[in-house]
Amino acid sequence: MMMIEGDALPTLASQRLVLRWLEHRDADALFEIFSDREVMRYWSSPLWADHADAVEMVESVRRHFAEGSLYQWGVARRCDDVIIGTCTLAQVDTQNRRAEIGFALRQDHWGQGYMTEALRTLLTFSFEDLKLHRIEADVDPRNAASIRLLENLGFQREGYLRQRWFVGDEINDTVFYGLLRSDWPTI
Ligand SMILES: CC(C)(COP(=O)(O)OP(=O)(O)OC[C@H]1O[C@@H](n2cnc3c(N)ncnc32)[C@H](O)[C@@H]1OP(=O)(O)O)[C@@H](O)C(=O)NCCC(=O)NCCS
């Protein structure tokens, strides 16, 4: 059974943002985000070097949606619909009602509460509409902004996993976070 039915992801709106289905016309905006060394510093794969990576992402969002395994929304500014980030439910496990959250934001938009706003919207949708029971996050322990963001949203630190990711010439640890449906204030 698919967790989200239909042809595309539903659009989710907040005060300043819209979480929406990614289109091929968003490829340039996506490239700007994922080719930035700072944005990709603690990512689990190397930064994009080629514009074709952006086109491939839009294609893979469609493939994964069709499989029901990963749902990736574009985060657009409500005022002009320009994509400034993405947020994702990955490792979607229907049987156990859990998924792993992921997020990235264009660097010139950091520190203005945008990802807090986007994740609040996505988490509310995940618990209330998708009826997920648990959301997980796998973060590099040095990624202070992401850790702060998750802890502010109520995620609890559940474990430390050593040398979990080979990225370029590094082997990186993981700090693992979890948020239960019963932890989420609107439920
Ligand atoms: C993580 C990220 C999405 C945060 O987006 P953002 O919109 O700037 O976050 P917000 O403004 O909503 O707030 C994040 C919190 O982290 C804090 N923060 C931001 N940068 C920080 C830093 N370098 N060190 C410590 N805390 C930091 C903010 O002050 C805020 O906490 P506060 O409200 O208690 O002050 C953004 O930094 C990013 O895209 N990083 C690169 C991608 C990434 O690492 N993704 C996660 C992979 S698991």
Side-chain angles (χ1 to χ4, degrees):
M1 193 195 79
M2 292 293 177
M3 200 157 276
I4 302 179
E5 303 287 344
D7 299 334
L9 290 168
T11 299
L12 311 172
S14 63
Q15 196 187 349
R16 295 175 294 172
L17 301 171
V18 175
L19 275 53
R20 67 160 172 82
W21 186 238
L22 287 165
E23 304 285 357
H24 284 102
R25 65 180 155 86
D26 299 315
D28 288 347
L30 290 167
F31 185 73
E32 193 171 340
I33 299 161
F34 291 96
S35 61
D36 180 338
R37 198 166 296 281
E38 287 302 306
V39 172
M40 299 299 274
R41 176 67 190 92
Y42 301 119
W43 208 251
S44 54
S45 56
L47 79 164
W48 294 357
D50 197 313
H51 192 267
D53 293 328
V55 177
E56 165 53 22
M57 182 205 257
V58 176
E59 290 301 322
S60 82
V61 167
R62 282 158 169 65
R63 275 197 310 275
H64 287 124
F65 176 81
E67 292 163 9
S69 57
L70 180 147
Y71 300 124
Q72 185 160 15
W73 280 262
V75 177
R77 291 187 301 232
R78 209 167 167 159
C79 56
D80 58 9
D81 202 37
V82 169
I83 293 293
I84 56 166
T86 70
C87 54
T88 308
L89 294 175
Q91 315 287 346
V92 177
D93 184 333
T94 313
Q95 169 68 30
N96 294 297
R97 311 214 69 83
R98 66 170 184 245
E100 187 177 308
I101 202 163
F103 41 85
L105 188 71
R106 212 173 82 188
Q107 198 188 151
D108 61 354
H109 283 64
W110 288 3
Q112 298 167 58
Y114 279 116
M115 198 47 79
T116 301
E117 185 175 325
L119 294 191
R120 278 215 179 98
T121 306
L122 180 56
L123 290 167
T124 299
F125 175 74
S126 300
F127 290 129
E128 293 188 356
D129 295 82
L130 300 182
K131 308 288 183 208
L132 286 177
H133 179 71
R134 182 185 150 81
I135 312 271
E136 301 173 345
D138 173 332
V139 190
D140 188 305
R142 298 167 296 177
N143 191 345
S146 294
I147 287 172
R148 178 90 186 197
L149 171 69
L150 291 165
E151 289 182 348
N152 284 353
L153 288 163
F155 278 79
Q156 290 191 26
R157 184 182 168 127
E158 296 179 336
Y160 194 96
L161 291 73
R162 296 173 303 155
Q163 301 189 3
R164 188 151 193 260
W165 297 100
F166 282 82
V167 186
D169 53 8
E170 294 183 337
I171 313 175
N172 297 334
D173 297 348
T174 279
V175 56
F176 208 74
Y177 278 86
L179 181 73
L180 300 183
R181 184 175 155 81
S182 54
D183 298 330
W184 190 241
T186 60
I187 301 294

